[in-house]
């Protein structure tokens, strides 16, 4: 019996030893697995991961993953460790959802606009605007108001857009007032003309986005235009009025890529066809076709070459020598001019007045072609035009690749430019039917009309600086014009116009 008991004790002892060895082996195996896991995590941590930061560079930065073990080291349930640091876990109240309901799509303010503008006829004014949209951005409402310093000049526009479905719809109301004063200081025998022009416009249109970049649109418009003679002592008042219907078809393409507020790559183009028809006067009916294209290419290291091409032509039915109702285009000047300085030595013979036609249709449907730097407004006019602008935009401060606290320095650009354009009425730009200088010599019964042909193109070149000051985009340009192969005196201008 004693021997049997001893054998049992020996067996229990051996079994306990085997169990202990198994536990040690398991512990050793777990330790090795843990070490292998840590080595694998360390290898993963050493591997770089590429991701894009919100910066102006195209290439991504290479950064290292955070320590994986740091994600598991949580002191308590109130602190969550992430790659961005410690985030306190929010205390969430219990929410019981009783039923589904539709959220109210409230309206919010999208943007407020405040600026200074310049119109070749109305002069200086304020550019005020506000826009609203609903929370889903299905509807937009914008209001634009431009009061001018000159009395009786204004621009008011109210626009509503419905963007919920693929075709976008819009309704627009506009009101424009212009006071026309022709005070010919150096033209003896000419009567003083004082008119008040009023233009009410109602538009309705639809735009269909064909794809991400291409869209087509159709717009119908009604124009009520009036001219009131303000010179009451005139024997016969020169009042006039008309109701005009318009149809516009356009197709647009835009794949321009922006870097902050700067376009650096892509093409933007639009072809528009306008048909105007007078409801009250059968003689007025004209059509205008316009094409505009902008191209941006980054040459190297953020230096961008920007090119703009504009072409237009206007036709009119029942056109006679006395009544030419084609749309008029005026070439010269620059947008939102604030401070022009001319270095011309002798400009005493310049006539200081608005050199545009006071005809009702010509005045209300006129269009200014800018920029053509180095020249005054109204340098040339006609019913057909071709113009091209080139700008080499060199971001001086951003080429340094350093952090700058000043927005004005960061956005500073050095911009050499070259402009060329021409306008004419018949034939081609070199046609003898479009003299650029006409003089009448003599008196009745013998009157001689002298026509001088000049080079049809106006060239402008120079250099400028552009930057952002608060909400304004400020440009300083020094430009020289070339008219009829003659170099003009330089023009120095300060404008609030943005780059095209």
């Amino acid at each position: 019996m004693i021997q049997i008991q001893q054998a049992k004790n020996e067996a229990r002892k051996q079994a306990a030893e085997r169990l202990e060895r198994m536990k040690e082996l398991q512990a050793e195996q777990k330790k090795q697995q843990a070490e292998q896991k840590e080595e694998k995590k360390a290898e993963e941590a050493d591997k770089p991961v590429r991701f894009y930061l919100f910066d102006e560079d195209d290439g991504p930065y290479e950064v290292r993953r955070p320590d994986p073990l740091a994600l598991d080291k949580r002191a308590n349930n109130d602190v969550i460790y992430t790659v961005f640091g410690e985030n306190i876990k929010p205390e969430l109240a219990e929410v019981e959802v009783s039923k589904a309901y539709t959220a109210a799509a409230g309206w919010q303010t999208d943007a407020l606009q405040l600026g200074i503008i310049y119109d070749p006829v109305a002069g200086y004014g304020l550019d005020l605007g506000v826009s609203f949209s609903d929370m889903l951005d299905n509807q937009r409402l914008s209001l634009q108001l431009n009061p001018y310093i000159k009395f009786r000049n204004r621009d008011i526009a109210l626009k509503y857009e419905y963007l919920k479905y693929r075709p976008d719809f819009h309704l627009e109301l506009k009101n424009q007032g212009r006071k026309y004063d022709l005070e010919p200081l150096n033209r003896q025998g000419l009567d003083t003309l004082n008119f008040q022009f009023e233009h009410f416009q109602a538009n309705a249109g639809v735009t269909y986005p064909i794809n991400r970049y291409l869209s087509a649109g159709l717009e119908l418009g009604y124009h009520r235009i009036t001219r009131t003679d303000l010179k009451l002592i005139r024997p016969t008042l020169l009042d006039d009025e008309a109701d005009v219907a318009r149809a516009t078809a356009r197709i647009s393409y835009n794949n321009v890529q922006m870097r902050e507020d700067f376009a650096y790559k892509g093409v933007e183009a639009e072809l528009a066809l306008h048909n105007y028809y007078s409801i009250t006067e059968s003689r007025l009916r004209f059509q205008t076709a316009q094409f505009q294209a902008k191209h941006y290419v980054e040459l190297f290291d953020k230096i961008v070459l920007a090119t703009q091409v504009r072409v237009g032509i206007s036709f009119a039915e029942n056109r006679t020598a006395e009544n030419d109702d084609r749309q008029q285009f005026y070439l010269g000047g620059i947008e939102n001019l604030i401070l022009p300085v001319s270095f011309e030595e002798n400009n005493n013979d310049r006539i200081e007045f608005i050199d545009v036609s006071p005809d009702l249709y010509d005045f209300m449907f006129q269009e200014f072609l800018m920029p053509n730097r180095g020249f005054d407004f109204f340098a040339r006019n006609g019913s057909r035009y071709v113009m091209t602008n080139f700008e080499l935009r060199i971001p001086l401060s951003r080429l340094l690749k350093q952090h700058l606290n000043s927005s004005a320095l960061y956005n500073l650009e050095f911009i050499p430019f070259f402009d060329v354009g021409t306008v004419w009425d018949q034939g081609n730009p070199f046609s003898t039917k479009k003299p650029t200088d006409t003089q009448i010599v003599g008196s009745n019964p013998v009157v001689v009309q002298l026509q001088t042909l000049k080079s049809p193109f106006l060239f402008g070149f120079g250099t400028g600086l552009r930057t952002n000051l608060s909400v304004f985009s400020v440009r300083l340009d020094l430009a020289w014009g070339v008219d009829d192969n003659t170099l003009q005196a330089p023009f120095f201008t300060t404008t609030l116009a943005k780059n095209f």
Side-chain angles (χ1 to χ4, degrees), residues 87-372:
N87 292 335
I88 304 299
K89 182 188 294 185
E91 296 181 359
L92 301 179
E94 294 184 0
V95 178
E96 181 181 355
V97 179
S98 58
K99 61 179 180 179
Y101 64 94
T102 302
W107 288 70
Q108 59 186 0
T109 304
D110 283 341
L112 295 174
Q113 183 175 342
L114 173 61
I116 301 175
I117 60 173
Y118 180 84
D119 183 88
V121 176
Y124 295 100
L126 295 178
D127 186 14
L128 309 176
V130 60
S131 61
F132 308 91
S133 68
D134 62 1
M135 295 182 62
L136 300 179
D137 204 21
N138 291 331
Q139 302 178 78
R140 293 179 185 171
L141 183 65
S142 59
L143 174 63
Q144 194 77 19
L145 178 62
N146 302 131
Y148 293 91
I149 296 177
K150 291 183 179 180
F151 184 59
R152 293 189 176 186
N153 292 280
R154 69 186 179 281
D155 293 318
I156 303 175
L158 179 64
K159 186 175 183 179
Y160 170 78
E161 299 174 272
Y162 188 75
L163 312 173
K164 184 175 182 179
Y165 303 105
R166 189 173 182 86
D168 300 332
F169 302 92
H170 70 267
L171 298 173
E172 188 176 24
L173 298 176
K174 292 184 177 181
N175 179 261
Q176 182 185 76
R178 290 291 185 271
K179 188 173 184 294
Y180 179 95
D181 293 313
L182 179 57
E183 304 283 353
L185 301 180
N186 297 334
R187 291 187 176 182
Q188 298 180 1
L190 291 183
D191 191 10
T192 299
L193 300 178
N194 301 106
F195 296 132
Q196 177 65 31
F197 290 89
E198 294 291 338
H199 187 177
F200 170 78
Q201 182 177 351
N203 302 322
V206 58
T207 302
Y208 186 83
I210 301 174
N211 55 38
R212 181 180 178 184
Y213 307 115
L214 187 64
S215 64
L218 177 65
E219 184 179 76
L220 301 178
Y222 165 76
H223 301 257
R224 172 66 176 174
I225 54 178
T226 62
R227 181 185 66 189
T228 303
D229 193 347
L230 301 180
K231 193 170 183 179
L232 301 180
I233 61 174
R234 197 187 313 275
T236 302
L237 295 180
L238 303 177
D239 295 345
D240 199 359
E241 62 181 19
D243 296 309
V244 180
R246 173 183 55 84
T248 298
R250 57 168 49 91
I251 184 168
S252 304
Y253 178 84
N254 188 349
N255 69 344
V256 174
Q257 300 182 34
M258 304 293 293
R259 180 182 292 137
E260 296 180 351
D261 292 332
F262 304 93
Y264 71 98
K265 184 188 301 183
V267 175
E268 179 182 357
E270 180 179 88
L271 174 63
L273 304 176
H274 311 276
N275 186 11
Y276 293 84
Y277 181 82
S278 176
I279 302 174
T280 55
E281 295 187 32
S282 59
R283 74 173 180 87
L284 173 65
R285 184 173 183 177
F286 68 91
Q287 299 80 34
T288 300
Q290 293 176 295
F291 174 77
Q292 180 177 5
K294 303 175 184 179
H295 179 251
Y296 309 93
V297 57
E298 188 172 22
L299 300 180
F300 53 90
D301 202 11
K302 305 175 185 177
I303 298 179
V304 177
L305 174 63
T307 306
Q308 177 178 234
V309 178
R310 298 177 65 182
V311 181
I313 183 171
S314 182
F315 306 91
E317 298 183 6
N318 304 322
R319 180 167 55 90
T320 63
E322 294 78 14
N323 296 316
D324 187 354
D325 295 321
R326 292 178 296 178
Q327 186 174 4
Q328 291 296 302
F329 304 98
Y330 293 87
L331 179 66
I334 189 171
E335 302 93 336
N336 286 351
L337 181 64
I338 300 300
L339 179 63
V341 178
S342 175
F343 294 92
E344 186 176 357
E345 294 182 358
N346 185 13
N347 59 355
N348 295 327
D349 296 332
R350 291 182 58 190
I351 303 175
E352 301 294 340
F353 70 101
I354 300 174
D355 194 9
V356 295
S357 171
D359 180 78
L360 177 62
Y361 303 107
D362 290 348
F363 188 88
M364 299 313 300
F365 297 112
Q366 66 190 353
E367 184 174 335
F368 299 97
L369 304 176
M370 298 177 283
N372 198 303

Side-chain angles (χ1 to χ4, degrees), residues 468-482:
N468 290 336
L469 295 178
S470 183
V471 296
F472 300 104
S473 178
V474 181
R475 282 194 58 148
L476 305 176
D477 291 316
L478 182 61
W480 287 263
V482 178

